[in-house]
Amino acid sequence: DGEGNVVASNTPDPHDSSLRPRRMDEMVGQRDVIEKLKIAIDAAQGRGEPLGHILFDGPPGLGKTTFATVIPSEMGTTVQMANGAGIRAPKDLLPYLTNLGEGSVLFIDEIHRVPKPVEEYLYTAMEDFRIDIVLGEGVNARTLNYDLKPFTLIGATTRAGMLSAPLRDRFQIREHLGWYSLEDLCEIVQRNSVKLNLPVDDDSAEVIADRSRSTPRMANNRLLWVRDYAQSKAGGKVTADICEAALDMIGIDNLGLDKQDRGYLDTLMRIFAGGPTGLDAIAHTMNVSSDTLEDEVEPFLLRSELIVRSRRGRMATQKAYRHLKKTA
Ligand code: ATP
């Protein structure tokens, strides 16, 4: 954010891939999802068929991409990664579809962003492993049927509600990824601290987990910052106090909120008298996109009961006023 505040951001970190679990057994939490997927993988392999198409939804940083990488590795197959925002027309999808190997995986992140014509193209690809390519234009146009190798589409979205019903229904497996418990986050912090060669004790892990907004990606980012801080300011020693000081320094408070989260609450309370007010008004005032607020900021504020959403707009709760030490 221009203030060296990368640790608070929700964007993947270059260290992200080194901390990302490579096998399902390395994943922490999401037990019910993992159990169901293991059964589906086992059964598909037993039948010698590709795994059914899978849709993951949930807030950012909870493991959608991680699942999309561990599933193919469990199946011993390859994965191609695409992003819905980058697929503007059916032709953008072609290279992915024609490159598919038998039983391989195509992962489309932010699948709610593919435009309607692409979505329709996906229907036959998913259902019949076939696409119709139109060559030429007008009276000279010819349709070419192209058979695809049977494959598995894994879609991820932060907005399941934005997916059309026909697309949603073509996913045989639909899983919602929920928030992580404190216990799970502590375990992620501790395992990753070992990978980072700076093991942390229980109390330190708890401080980091506590301030990680129930999100593994945040836990990793906070841990990486604590490591930098400890190495530069505390001779590489990590204690609960050092974790608190490190996180205080980058503006992460005891609820795990960062500057942007508090900026949202402050705008809602100060400019809009606590609401109700529309998302766009808050976004314009803060000069950030409403998508960012809706995807990255609001889910945790809602979960923490710091805001409520009603038909008339967003409202700050008493808890939010207490947290920011303001009076309604
Ligand atoms: P986005 O939608 O923003 O891409 P995401 O839901 O795909 O987010 P991931 O990229 O999969 O999130 O997860 C972020 C990081 O959190 C991963 O690199 C990984 O290190 C860690 N992580 C996610 N889920 C787990 C888990 N279940 N166990 C351990 N670490 C996890």
Side-chain angles (χ1 to χ4, degrees):
D1 66 354
E3 296 175 48
N5 203 11
V6 282
V7 193
S9 112
N10 216 338
T11 42
D13 188 272
H15 292 88
D16 210 48
S17 59
S18 64
L19 298 181
R20 195 190 288 285
R22 302 198 187 284
R23 305 291 303 209
M24 233 177 245
D25 288 336
E26 291 173 29
M27 293 186 74
V28 176
Q30 307 289 0
R31 287 335 298 176
D32 56 329
V33 178
I34 291 177
E35 283 318 307
K36 282 185 266 176
L37 288 173
K38 278 187 171 164
I39 292 172
I41 291 173
D42 195 45
Q45 286 186 323
R47 289 192 301 266
E49 288 173 4
L51 183 65
H53 306 302
I54 309 173
L55 180 67
F56 291 112
D57 81 275
L62 298 187
K64 297 184 291 297
T65 308
T66 303
F67 271 114
T69 51
V70 300
I71 290 169
S73 82
E74 295 291 329
M75 311 240 343
T77 184
T78 55
V79 56
Q80 301 183 76
M81 302 267 188
N83 191 297
I87 306 174
R88 303 318 308 158
K91 70 169 174 30
D92 299 330
L93 202 57
L94 272 180
Y96 295 107
L97 293 178
T98 52
N99 270 335
L100 287 167
E102 180 102 21
S104 71
V105 172
L106 171 61
F107 173 56
I108 306 184
D109 202 1
E110 298 195 78
I111 194 163
H112 60 273
R113 297 181 69 172
V114 303
K116 192 83 192 150
V118 175
E119 199 182 301
E120 283 165 2
Y121 212 67
L122 278 175
Y123 296 162
T124 52
M126 291 170 79
E127 216 160 58
D128 307 325
F129 302 125
R130 180 176 62 79
I131 47 174
D132 299 325
I133 306 170
V134 181
L135 296 175
E137 277 175 20
V139 285
N140 292 323
R142 286 187 299 129
T143 305
L144 206 73
N145 296 328
Y146 187 93
D147 286 328
L148 304 172
K149 304 260 170 54
F151 73 105
T152 303
L153 179 67
I154 301 183
T157 177
T158 47
R159 312 257 185 108
M162 270 176 72
L163 237 56
S164 74
L167 181 58
R168 206 171 44 233
D169 292 345
R170 282 174 171 78
F171 288 97
Q172 284 90 11
I173 304 171
R174 294 192 284 265
E175 294 295 344
H176 173 74
L177 299 187
W179 304 98
Y180 287 66
S181 69
L182 203 58
E183 215 182 351
D184 288 340
L185 289 176
C186 282
E187 191 174 337
I188 291 173
V189 168
Q190 275 176 328
R191 283 193 194 184
N192 288 343
S193 73
V194 174
K195 283 191 198 166
L196 293 171
N197 257 328
L198 189 81
V200 301
D201 62 17
D202 291 353
D203 291 344
S204 305
E206 204 173 311
V207 171
I208 298 172
D210 231 353
R211 296 193 187 196
S212 295
R213 306 200 339 192
S214 312
T215 306
R217 176 177 299 144
M218 296 277 171
N220 287 345
N221 289 346
R222 308 299 193 232
L223 173 64
L224 288 165
W225 168 247
V226 164
R227 178 178 71 157
D228 287 352
Y229 184 95
Q231 285 175 343
S232 146
K233 293 241 180 211
K237 199 165 126 51
V238 180
T239 63
D241 287 345
I242 286 168
C243 293
E244 279 172 11
L247 296 174
D248 284 346
M249 186 176 175
I250 53 166
I252 290 157
D253 65 28
N254 59 349
L255 289 184
L257 306 191
D258 61 27
K259 287 177 195 155
Q260 178 157 278
D261 302 322
R262 283 193 304 278
Y264 177 107
L265 293 177
D266 180 67
T267 306
L268 182 55
M269 292 171 181
R270 210 163 38 83
I271 314 285
F272 298 103
T277 190
L279 173 63
D280 287 339
I282 303 172
H284 283 140
T285 312
M286 291 178 68
N287 202 19
V288 290
S289 84
S290 47
D291 280 357
T292 302
L293 294 185
E294 194 166 5
D295 286 347
E296 293 176 17
V297 176
E298 289 191 330
F300 188 72
L301 297 180
L302 284 162
R303 168 187 157 91
S304 308
E305 299 175 355
L306 292 163
I307 58 168
V308 289
R309 272 172 77 162
S310 74
R311 213 176 306 147
R312 291 184 303 144
R314 276 67 170 166
M315 278 182 291
T317 62
Q318 284 304 322
K319 184 177 172 189
Y321 279 98
R322 280 197 304 277
H323 184 62
L324 260 63
K325 301 189 172 63
K326 289 184 193 288
T327 42

